[in-house]
């Protein structure tokens, strides 16, 4: 249920951002540079809705893998 609500909020935020012409142009330019392709809003929303909880878990486990993390500590001078 939370995943569905989060997807809907994300879609809503994207839809609102697309009303701003400059935001739309920047978003399209980024997509064109990164992927050489620009999704329509319906295509983008379809991709968001296709994401599963299992996919999110797999990606988060990969990103937050402790063996790949580095710790940076700041200690005060004595």
């Amino acid at each position: 249920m939370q995943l569905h609500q989060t997807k809907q909020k994300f879609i809503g935020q994207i839809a609102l951002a697309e009303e701003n012409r400059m935001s739309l142009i920047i978003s399209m330019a980024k997509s064109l540079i990164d992927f050489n392709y620009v999704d329509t809003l319906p295509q983008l929303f379809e991709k968001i809705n296709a994401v599963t909880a299992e996919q999110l878990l797999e990606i988060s486990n990969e990103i937050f893998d402790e063996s790949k993390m580095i710790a940076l500590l700041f200690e005060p001078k004595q």
Side-chain angles (χ1 to χ4, degrees), residues 46-60:
E46 186 177 315
K47 287 180 179 181
I48 292 169
N49 282 321
V51 173
T52 65
E54 291 79 18
Q55 289 171 320
L56 286 176
L57 182 59
E58 183 179 328
I59 290 169
S60 63

Side-chain angles (χ1 to χ4, degrees), residues 5-62:
Q5 289 174 337
T6 302
K7 287 180 184 180
Q8 295 308 305
K9 285 181 185 178
F10 187 42
I11 287 171
Q13 289 172 348
I14 292 171
L16 286 175
E18 296 300 316
E19 291 179 5
N20 176 336
R21 281 284 173 208
M22 185 57 72
S23 174
L24 174 62
I25 292 167
I26 291 170
S27 175
M28 291 172 75
K30 285 180 180 178
S31 179
L32 195 56
I33 290 168
D34 291 342
F35 307 110
N36 201 29
Y37 181 79
V38 177
D39 286 318
T40 65
L41 280 181
Q43 289 171 324
L44 184 59
F45 297 161
E46 186 177 315
K47 287 180 179 181
I48 292 169
N49 282 321
V51 173
T52 65
E54 291 79 18
Q55 289 171 320
L56 286 176
L57 182 59
E58 183 179 328
I59 290 169
S60 63
N61 285 335
E62 184 178 319

